[in-house]
Amino acid sequence: MKKIIVCLCVGAGAACLLALRKLVSISAVDASAEIIYVVAKSKELVPPGKPKLPEKAALVALIPPGKPAAGSFRVADFVSRLSATIYGRLLYYGPRMPSTQTFLSQNAHSLPIGTVCISDVQYQGKGRAGNSWVSPDGCLMFSFTLQMENGRTVPFVQYVVCLAVVQGIEAAARAKNATIPDVRIKWPNDLYSGNLKIGGVLCSSTYSSKTFYIVAGVGLNVDNDEPTTCLNSVLARLDSKATPFAREELLATILESFEKLFTTFTTQGFSALELMYYEKWMHSGQKVILEDDRVSVVIEGLTPAGFLLASDDAFNKYELHPDGNSLDFFKGLVRRKLPGSAQ
């Protein structure tokens, strides 16, 4: 099957469209093509060279006629809702593509900060420990680029993204005067409603020229009850009169929330966000039994390195690390006693 990349310019004028067309060569569109649209808010955002594409891909400049197909991401609706000034102003959208995370990771060094890639269906989606998966219908699945120079703070980016997703959901609910769903963060990067997972975050990075090029990926089950539940089902149970969440509005509010949080994070550190984060995570005061020696500890927060901080009955302080093997981080924690603990 031939794969086609199609450039689309929404609300940016002829100059931007001309800049996009310089990236591509005109060719016929195969009826079975996999299409990725490129949306730029201004010509300055258009990258100077062609992106690295999936195998056997071709670039085409085209503005497709007609309304979006049922169930597809409505690009123009998202653009009209976007208020973030950096994140989302350059958007790659593919109804079907291998992986948004892979696409941006392969091009992170050449794309501007805040570039977003979103897909209706991913068939080589990236998960924890390099696992691949096929995405279900009704999910908001996107990745975006950012850059950092301080490597000691890079591990905290996933926590900032998780907090941004929660705050973005809350902002979208407030905008429609709906009851706000109680979405919580399960350390380190999962999103839960009650005891059911509805989403997750994955961050990957490369280092070059004193800069960390980071790609943050988000998957949020918006409108599909399988295999657990979805955000709109949670909303309907809370508020039967509320209009369902749309992926376009959620993406816009999540990016806006991230932009604000990331500015605070980079200027003041994670400590400025810590209380907000703890208000939204699931673990304050949680008792955990460490499987290696059956010691019981209580989670107190995060250590300066971004791992779990816990204490035992003797007031010893521990830093808890995942063992790297367990699917559930809390079933494979390894402890390290911190300096200053009781002997």
Side-chain angles (χ1 to χ4, degrees), residues 154-163 187-189 201-203 277 306:
V154 168
F156 289 88
V157 170
Q158 61 184 327
Y159 308 147
V160 180
V161 177
C162 285
L163 184 58
W187 186 87
N189 50 21
V201 168
L202 173 70
C203 294
Y277 179 80

Side-chain angles (χ1 to χ4, degrees), residues 275-336:
L275 290 179
M276 285 188 287
Y277 179 80
Y278 291 151
E279 287 177 357
K280 299 302 178 183
W281 82 336
M282 303 170 65
H283 308 300
S284 295
Q286 179 182 345
K287 292 184 178 181
V288 177
I289 297 177
L290 304 178
E291 295 187 352
D292 57 348
D293 52 12
R294 309 304 295 173
V295 171
S296 177
V297 297
V298 176
I299 296 174
E300 297 181 357
L302 296 173
T303 68
F307 294 105
L308 291 175
L309 174 65
S311 62
D312 62 17
D313 292 339
F315 304 105
N316 294 300
K317 300 287 186 179
Y318 299 97
E319 185 176 71
L320 305 183
H321 299 243
D323 64 4
N325 298 315
S326 304
L327 291 177
D328 186 340
F329 279 121
F330 284 81
K331 294 187 179 300
L333 290 171
V334 178
R335 63 174 172 153
R336 180 179 74 86

Side-chain angles (χ1 to χ4, degrees), residues 89-307:
R89 290 173 59 81
L90 179 62
L91 175 80
Y92 290 82
Y93 159 59
R96 175 180 167 86
M97 62 187 301
S99 165
T100 61
Q101 195 79 1
T102 298
F103 178 76
L104 289 187
S105 295
Q106 290 176 340
N107 296 285
H109 291 232
S110 59
L111 293 172
I113 295 172
T115 300
V116 174
C117 184
I118 182 170
S119 178
D120 296 326
V121 176
Q122 295 186 56
Y123 53 88
Q124 293 177 11
K126 298 301 179 184
R128 190 181 298 160
N131 294 322
S132 296
W133 45 267
V134 177
S135 63
D137 294 332
C139 291
L140 172 62
M141 296 166 298
F142 67 96
S143 303
F144 61 94
T145 62
L146 57 142
Q147 296 176 17
M148 296 184 66
E149 295 182 356
N150 186 352
R152 288 177 295 181
T153 60
V154 168
F156 289 88
V157 170
Q158 61 184 327
Y159 308 147
V160 180
V161 177
C162 285
L163 184 58
V165 174
V166 173
Q167 290 192 354
I169 293 169
E170 293 175 349
R174 283 193 295 268
K176 61 173 84 234
N177 295 316
T179 303
I180 297 176
D182 185 24
V183 177
R184 296 279 171 172
I185 300 166
K186 181 179 180 182
W187 186 87
N189 50 21
D190 286 332
L191 300 164
Y192 273 66
S193 176
N195 294 319
L196 298 176
K197 181 177 177 179
I198 61 169
V201 168
L202 173 70
C203 294
S204 58
S205 67
T206 57
Y207 183 75
S208 177
S209 302
K210 299 182 179 180
T211 300
F212 288 90
Y213 293 85
I214 302 169
V215 177
V218 176
L220 183 63
N221 194 345
V222 178
D223 208 26
N224 190 329
D225 273 329
E226 300 297 335
T228 56
T229 189
C230 66
L231 189 59
N232 277 333
S233 290
V234 174
L235 177 63
R237 288 193 292 269
L238 293 172
D239 189 343
S240 60
K241 297 182 179 180
T243 57
F245 289 112
R247 290 182 298 157
E248 298 80 9
E249 65 177 325
L250 287 170
L251 180 57
T253 55
I254 290 170
L255 292 175
E256 180 183 6
S257 295
F258 177 80
E259 188 166 288
K260 294 177 181 177
L261 291 169
F262 191 66
T263 298
T264 301
F265 172 57
T266 54
T267 56
Q268 303 178 43
F270 188 73
S271 60
L273 304 176
E274 206 161 6
L275 290 179
M276 285 188 287
Y277 179 80
Y278 291 151
E279 287 177 357
K280 299 302 178 183
W281 82 336
M282 303 170 65
H283 308 300
S284 295
Q286 179 182 345
K287 292 184 178 181
V288 177
I289 297 177
L290 304 178
E291 295 187 352
D292 57 348
D293 52 12
R294 309 304 295 173
V295 171
S296 177
V297 297
V298 176
I299 296 174
E300 297 181 357
L302 296 173
T303 68
F307 294 105

Side-chain angles (χ1 to χ4, degrees), residues 16-31:
C16 183
L17 180 58
L18 180 61
L20 286 172
R21 285 182 179 274
K22 290 180 179 179
L23 289 178
V24 303
S25 58
I26 306 300
S27 62
V29 178
D30 191 318

